């Protein structure tokens, strides 16, 4: 649960950056709730009522996270009018890495045919994109980089247990990217707030495949290479952490709910999003959701939502966008951005 450490990680005062372009990659295969009725003992009615999800995208077995991330970066670069080889930093936020090593970011470089710039992964679960944005912002403000691609991408369908109805119905695959560049003083991060509480790591994790539990026949047979989640505990912590981080960041940015143009929370469950929004005081009509279409794509939900909101003309220069997220770790992050 956010505590005093939460406050220490807050940064206020305009950091002049600009999101010069956004892009997404969404697998073409649509899986509707009704389709899952053939997979586990569930129903469209239950999933809709308890989560707000109607359908999700599922990647072809041949697709790895780096494929989606590379396409999202390519599209974001095209939107920003730059060539992928011109970016000078690549941050990939994901929990569904291509390989244990090297980083998924290096696989993305390979797929984009680019090299030279630092490339690294951020492992912060569903908070990953906002973690990446925070790192990119500070690297740009420090003068270390001038054009950073931040991408959140996941192939969750390869790490969920398709026999566990409590988790498999929640997730989807996809990627979203943003090209972050220095701002001219009008746009930027007004305030942010990020943190983590690793004491709660066992509540939501993938037990096997790393050094704690290397792959064995037993680990595979026991389904240990898939998502383990205590859903109700995640739910409670998510509401508190997402709203606390957002409220603190809004306070540090010296804005009120009236100043917010769009509220773009991590899209895990409509009940979590609604409860978090309500605690910030931002009216319901200002909350943007793509959850019904894509499910919980973990680190990809916020950049995909930002891209679609922009595409629909809902984010214009000067608008104040508040994003907040919560994920495995537990991690949380909130950002108040003047677009
Ligand atoms: N279909 C039908 N019934 C189901 C399903 C399903 N897919 N899944 C669970 N149920 C059943 C349960 O077995 C239980 O049955 P019982 O009463 O006979 O025991 C009943 O539904 C109620 O289960 P709960 O777990 O209490 O249901 P709840 O309303 O809490 O919803 C959910 C469960 C959707 C998992 C919710 O707790 C949640 O969204 N938690 C957050 C999880 C999350 O978002 N994780 C993502 C990663 S972190 C992040 O992104 C923030």
């Amino acid at each position: 649960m956010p505590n005093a450490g939460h406050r220490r990680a807050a940064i206020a005062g305009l950091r002049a950056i600009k999101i010069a372009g956004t892009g997404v990659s969404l697998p073409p295969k649509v899986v509707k709730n009704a389709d899952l009725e053939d997979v586990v003992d569930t129903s469209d009615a239950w999933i809709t009522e308890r989560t707000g999800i109607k359908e999700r995208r599922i990647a072809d077995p041949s697709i790895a996270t780096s494929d989606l991330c590379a396409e999202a970066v390519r599209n974001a670069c095209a939107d920003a009018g730059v060539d992928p080889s011109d970016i000078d930093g690549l941050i990939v936020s994901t929990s569904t890495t291509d390989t244990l090593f090297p980083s998924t970011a290096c696989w993305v470089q390979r797929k984009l045919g680019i090299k030279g710039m630092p490339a690294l992964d951020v492992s912060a679960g569903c908070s990953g994109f906002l973690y990446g944005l925070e790192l990119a912002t500070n690297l740009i403000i420090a003068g270390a980089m001038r054009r950073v691609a931040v991408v959140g991408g996941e192939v969750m369908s390869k790490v969920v247990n398709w026999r566990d109805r409590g988790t498999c119905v929640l997730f989807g695959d996809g990627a979203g990217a943003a090209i972050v560049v220095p701002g001219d003083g009008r746009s930027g991060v007004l305030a942010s707030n990020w943190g983590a509480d690793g004491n709660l790591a066992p509540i939501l994790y993938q037990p096997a495949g790393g050094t704690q539990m290397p792959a064995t026949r037993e680990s595979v047979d026991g389904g240990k290479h898939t998502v383990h989640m205590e859903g109700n505990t995640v739910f409670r912590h998510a509401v508190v952490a997402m709203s606390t981080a957002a409220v603190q960041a809004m306070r540090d940015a010296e804005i009120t709910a009236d100043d917010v143009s769009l509220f773009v929370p991590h899209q895990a469950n409509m009940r979590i999003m609604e409860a978090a929004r309500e605690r910030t005081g931002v009216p319901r009509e200002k909350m943007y959701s793509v959850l019904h279409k894509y499910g919980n794509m973990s680190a990809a939900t916020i950049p995909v939502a930002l891209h679609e909101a922009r595409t629909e003309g809902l984010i214009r220069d000067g608008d104040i966008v508040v994003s907040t997220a919560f994920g495995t770790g537990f991690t949380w992050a909130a950002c108040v951005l003047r677009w």
Side-chain angles (χ1 to χ4, degrees):
M1 211 58 77
N3 52 24
H6 195 77
R7 187 73 187 84
R8 283 198 298 276
I11 302 175
L14 178 77
R15 280 170 287 157
I17 54 104
K18 184 155 189 66
I19 293 184
T22 56
V24 301
S25 174
L26 294 157
K29 183 177 174 187
V30 176
V31 174
K32 295 182 181 298
N33 289 346
D35 299 328
L36 294 176
E37 293 173 3
D38 299 332
V39 179
V40 282
D41 179 14
T42 191
S43 66
D44 175 35
W46 191 95
I47 301 170
T48 304
E49 186 202 327
R50 298 295 179 111
T51 73
I53 299 165
K54 295 297 290 181
E55 58 189 47
R56 72 283 295 140
R57 301 298 179 92
I58 300 293
D60 184 84
S62 66
I63 296 295
T65 296
S66 62
D67 293 302
L68 300 182
C69 290
E71 188 181 25
V73 170
R74 203 180 290 115
N75 290 338
C77 282
D79 187 41
V82 301
D83 191 85
S85 61
D86 292 333
I87 58 177
D88 55 13
L90 174 61
I91 299 175
V92 174
S93 305
T94 187
S95 298
T96 50
T97 56
D98 273 33
T99 48
L100 273 181
F101 62 87
S103 68
T104 302
C106 286
W107 290 111
V108 171
Q109 279 185 314
R110 180 179 163 92
K111 286 177 180 169
L112 286 172
I114 60 175
K115 61 183 178 183
M117 70 292 289
L120 63 135
D121 285 4
V122 169
S123 178
C126 308
S127 311
F129 180 77
L130 293 183
Y131 263 55
L133 182 62
E134 181 71 17
L135 292 171
T137 297
N138 291 329
L139 285 162
I140 287 171
I141 294 302
M145 289 179 186
R146 294 192 58 78
R147 203 174 276 153
V148 185
V150 182
V151 51
E154 309 279 4
V155 181
M156 295 301 298
S157 61
K158 291 193 183 180
V159 299
V160 294
N161 181 345
W162 286 100
R163 290 187 302 274
D164 175 11
R165 67 177 181 173
T167 52
C168 73
V169 304
L170 304 175
F171 295 100
D173 302 336
I179 307 301
V180 189
V181 300
D184 62 6
R186 283 176 293 187
S187 63
V189 176
L190 294 173
S192 61
N193 193 298
W194 55 335
D197 182 354
N199 295 294
L200 297 166
I203 307 288
L204 171 56
Y205 76 129
Q206 182 181 317
T211 55
Q212 279 189 8
M213 192 189 293
T216 60
R217 187 178 300 278
E218 290 72 32
S219 70
V220 173
D221 290 346
K224 301 291 185 191
H225 295 263
T226 58
V227 175
H228 164 87
M229 180 179 78
E230 296 170 31
N232 290 314
T233 310
V234 174
F235 194 108
R236 281 185 284 109
H237 282 272
V239 171
V240 174
M242 286 171 66
S243 56
T244 306
V247 165
Q248 190 62 59
M250 287 165 64
R251 200 173 292 153
D252 289 341
E254 298 179 351
I255 62 158
T256 68
D258 289 341
D259 300 314
V260 177
S261 310
L262 210 62
F263 182 65
V264 185
H266 166 54
Q267 325 250 311
N269 178 316
M270 185 49 79
R271 288 152 59 214
I272 294 176
M273 292 160 64
E274 268 296 331
R277 177 200 59 75
E278 207 171 343
R279 289 172 181 220
T280 65
V282 176
R284 177 171 295 149
E285 59 272 18
K286 288 187 178 176
M287 184 166 82
Y288 187 75
S289 172
V290 293
L291 175 76
H292 56 292
K293 293 193 284 186
Y294 304 132
N296 182 352
M297 299 177 289
S298 187
T301 71
I302 288 177
V304 168
L306 289 174
H307 175 79
E308 296 215 345
R310 272 190 73 219
T311 307
E312 288 175 30
L314 295 175
I315 302 178
R316 289 171 298 269
D317 285 353
D319 281 354
I320 290 183
V321 178
V322 175
S323 273
T324 186
F326 176 82
T328 178
F330 288 157
T331 58
W332 56 87
C335 178
V336 179
L337 200 62
R338 191 191 295 131
W339 205 268

